[in-house]
Each structure stands twice: as C-alpha cells, then as structure tokens.
Amino acid sequence: MIRSFRFSGLLAAALWLGAAAASAQEAKTKKTKPSKKDEVVTLHVTQGSTTLGDIRLVTYEQTPLHRANFLQKAKSGFYNGTTFHRVIPGFMVQGGDANSKDSDPSNDGMGQPGDPTIPAELRPELTHKAGAVAAARMGGPPGTPSSSSQFYIVQNPNGTPHLNGGYTVFGQVIQGQDVVDKIAKAPRNEMDRPNEAIKMDVKVQKLSKKKIAKLYGYQY
C-alpha cells in the first residue's frame, strides 16, 4: 500500500509539473506571439509652401527601446515643425532636432542641454539599406548611446553598409523613398543645411500587417 501510494503520489506530482510546464510554455507563447498589427508613421514633408510628399515608415520590434521612444515622440507631436537639418546626396537625410523649430539655424543638430540618450540596440540583421531609419548619436565607438530624437534615413540606393554595426537601425521606409530623394537634392549650404527649411509633420496610424502589406508592399 505504501509503495503503491508513493508511486501514485509521484505520478500525480509528475503530471502536475508537466501540466504546469505546459501552461507556462503556453503563456510564454501567447506573450511572445507576434502582433497582427503595426503602427505606420507618416512624415508629411514641406519646403516653404511646396509639399514634397509623404514618407511612410515602420519601426522594428527587435529594437524595442528605440521603437517605443520614436513612436511616443511621433504620437505626442514632438516632431511636428522639426526640419531635415542635414542632407547629403548619395548618403542620407537627418532630422528630428527640437532646436530646428526655432529661428536660429546655427544650433540645428546640436540637441538641447540635458537631452536623454538611448542605449544602442545593434542588430546584425538590421542593416543600412536604402530607406533604413537609424538613430543619430555623438561620435564614439559602436555601442555609443543614441540621440533620443534625431534620426536619419538612408538615401543612397545602394545603402551605406559602412555604418552597419555602428548605429542603431530601428525602422524602414515602406513608401515615399522618392520624397527622401527630393530632400537630398535640395540646395544647401556648407553645413549641409537646406537653404530653405524642409519641415515635417508626423502622424501615426495602427493598421493590420495584412493591410500594410497590401497598401505598401511591405513584407514582414
């Protein structure tokens, strides 16, 4: 009786542990199950009274810190009225500095005192291909924290692979790369700042990934 009871108890314990493990695995699977929706960020770009067009992009789940920060700023209106203050044809266009909202062009790109930074999220699979959206940062070695606001979009059709592993790529243009080209072609001064400010207004829309694929041809 004792041996039988012990065996039954062990069996029950094993079954309970197995059920608990299965339940935990199921919960983990549900928790990490990819979302069926994503948020499309639209940059409406103007230069003076001329509309250059819309740039649409998505951000990567593999870079959660940069993704959350960028989406929060985009939704809050932080980027509205900021400019693309540094443009280099055949390379990239950079913007997002709050300083670019004021009337002093000399401080564009310098950031504000006390601006926070974001830990680098360097992922080898996220490269600087055409349309890649990446975080600007101060000089330094790979792993140097990113700016919390300034970003750049790769304009070069062949990408900028020499930047891979040095700067965090956190998104990708899914429509409007031709607008990026227009920005890069704008006449500029010796500091690569457009002679006439190129401004953005930003909005965010949540859509199903199926609809994003259908509308913009982007494959997840």
Side-chain angles (χ1 to χ4, degrees):
M1 291 290 295
I2 293 176
R3 184 176 300 172
S4 175
F5 176 80
R6 184 179 181 186
F7 176 78
S8 298
L10 289 173
L11 177 61
L15 290 172
W16 182 85
L17 288 172
S23 177
Q25 182 60 40
E26 183 180 1
K28 183 178 180 182
T29 301
K30 287 182 179 179
K31 186 176 180 180
T32 59
K33 187 177 180 180
S35 172
K36 293 183 178 180
K37 293 186 176 182
D38 201 355
E39 293 178 281
V40 176
V41 181
T42 300
L43 314 182
H44 181 67
V45 183
T46 58
Q47 186 172 33
S49 60
T50 302
T51 296
L52 300 186
D54 293 334
I55 301 170
R56 290 188 172 87
L57 61 92
V58 292
T59 54
Y60 292 129
E61 295 177 354
Q62 299 100 306
T63 53
L65 300 178
H66 287 72
R67 174 184 171 95
N69 174 75
F70 185 77
L71 290 176
Q72 185 277 324
K73 281 183 165 55
K75 292 174 183 177
S76 71
F78 174 91
Y79 286 120
N80 294 340
T82 61
T83 73
F84 286 97
H85 62 269
R86 182 170 177 245
V87 305
I88 304 177
F91 185 32
M92 59 89 223
V93 301
Q94 181 176 332
D97 183 12
N99 289 345
S100 65
K101 293 183 181 183
D102 65 28
S103 59
D104 179 10
S106 67
N107 65 9
D108 292 0
M110 297 180 65
Q112 297 184 326
D115 273 352
T117 57
I118 305 173
E121 295 178 292
L122 305 175
R123 299 294 297 258
E125 73 274 20
L126 304 179
T127 61
H128 283 79
K129 58 186 177 181
V133 182
R137 62 170 174 78
M138 296 295 289
T144 298
S146 304
S147 164
S148 64
S149 66
Q150 294 187 54
F151 63 94
Y152 60 91
I153 301 174
V154 175
Q155 186 265 330
N156 193 320
N158 298 315
T160 55
H162 64 285
L163 297 180
N164 290 343
Y167 297 78
T168 298
V169 174
F170 66 88
Q172 177 64 37
V173 171
I174 60 174
Q175 187 184 64
Q177 188 67 15
D178 60 315
V179 179
V180 178
D181 293 338
K182 291 178 185 178
I183 297 170
K185 292 176 182 176
R188 65 196 195 284
N189 63 20
E190 67 279 0
M191 299 298 292
D192 295 316
R193 185 183 187 277
N195 294 335
E196 184 177 13
I198 299 177
K199 297 184 178 183
M200 68 182 87
D201 281 294
V202 182
K203 66 178 182 180
V204 182
Q205 183 180 21
K206 181 174 283 190
L207 298 170
S208 72
K209 290 180 177 178
K210 285 185 177 180
K211 188 166 186 178
I212 292 171
K214 183 178 180 180
L215 289 174
Y216 310 115
Y218 180 73
Q219 297 302 316
Y220 286 89

